[in-house]
Amino acid sequence: MTTATPRRAATAAASSKPRRARSNRLAPYLFTTPAIVLYIVFTVIPVAYAIWLSLRAYRVTGGALGRKQDVFVWFENYLAVLQDETFLAGFGRLLIYGVIAIPLTLGLALLFALLLDAPAVRAKRFSRTAIFIPYAVPGVVAALLWGFMYLPSTSPFSFLTKAAGLGPIPFLEESGIFGSLANIAIWGGVGFNMIIIYTSLRGIPADIYESARLDGANELQIAWRIKIPLVMPALVLTGFFSLIGTIQLYSEPATLRPMTSTISASWVPLMAIYRDAFGTDNLPQAAAASTLLAVGTVLVSALVLRLVNRRRNGVES
């Protein structure tokens, strides 16, 4: 009895080793399975369906009273999208909008983050919350809020300029529409980007600042020569997010459209896609435009990241 018990224990331990090894091999797959399933259901299948839909078109056969048929047309919809002048003109408007919105958003976010990180600044928590609150406002609500501020009949700014004999400010006219839309994006986006940059600033060791102060550097020199270079990855990240947000511009111009004739139904690419999908019932062409826009977004993002990485590697070398 005294020798059989250790032998059975040794046999049980030896037989459990293969099971434990199999469990260890399966564990990573079990943990990643939910993410893979969600990715397939909510990303791969919708994208594949959009691509399949973009290769088809509706044709009416049998004359005026004929029947609408769904036929395979290969890349005909893609050619139609690339020849659609209203769709392509939307990218030009996106470029103007992005040139205004992205630098101002990132510049103000960096400025506020540096100010909040300065030792002499007081009421930091209140200031940080106050700057961040506009980001919590839904985009449609923000566009409506600013839309009432832009309308000549309700705008307090135009009320003051009219009282001064200068006439209403053309917020919603051709000369001011880009600045008006960019202002909404800046108002809502500065807080989010500021939090990212400020968090990055708080991660810098305080010893570096103390060493710089002992060497005679003032706060402005510390911000320019130490803080900004060290938070450059955060600036790249926020710039990347802003670029993608610019390409996806939709809710602000769509919300302001009933207030002005300057914004057409296809003012930006996403509005043109919505018009094709739900206004003219041309789902295949809308799917083709969506696919081109998604591919373009990925290519632009990859190009920007590649340029940033090349520049960073060049600086480090």
Side-chain angles (χ1 to χ4, degrees), residues 12-61:
S15 62
S16 66
K17 285 184 178 179
R19 289 200 298 270
R20 190 178 305 165
R22 283 197 298 273
S23 300
N24 292 336
R25 285 197 300 270
L26 291 175
Y29 299 101
L30 293 176
F31 282 120
T32 56
T33 296
I36 294 173
V37 171
L38 291 174
Y39 179 74
I40 292 174
V41 172
F42 293 106
T43 301
V44 175
I45 292 177
V47 169
Y49 178 70
I51 294 174
W52 177 83
L53 194 61
S54 68
L55 301 176
R56 309 186 70 82
Y58 301 133
R59 295 284 189 270
V60 177
T61 59

Side-chain angles (χ1 to χ4, degrees), residues 287-309:
S290 300
T291 304
L292 287 175
L293 186 63
V295 172
T297 302
V298 172
L299 292 177
V300 170
S301 302
L303 178 63
V304 171
L305 289 178
R306 185 177 178 82
L307 291 175
V308 171
N309 289 331

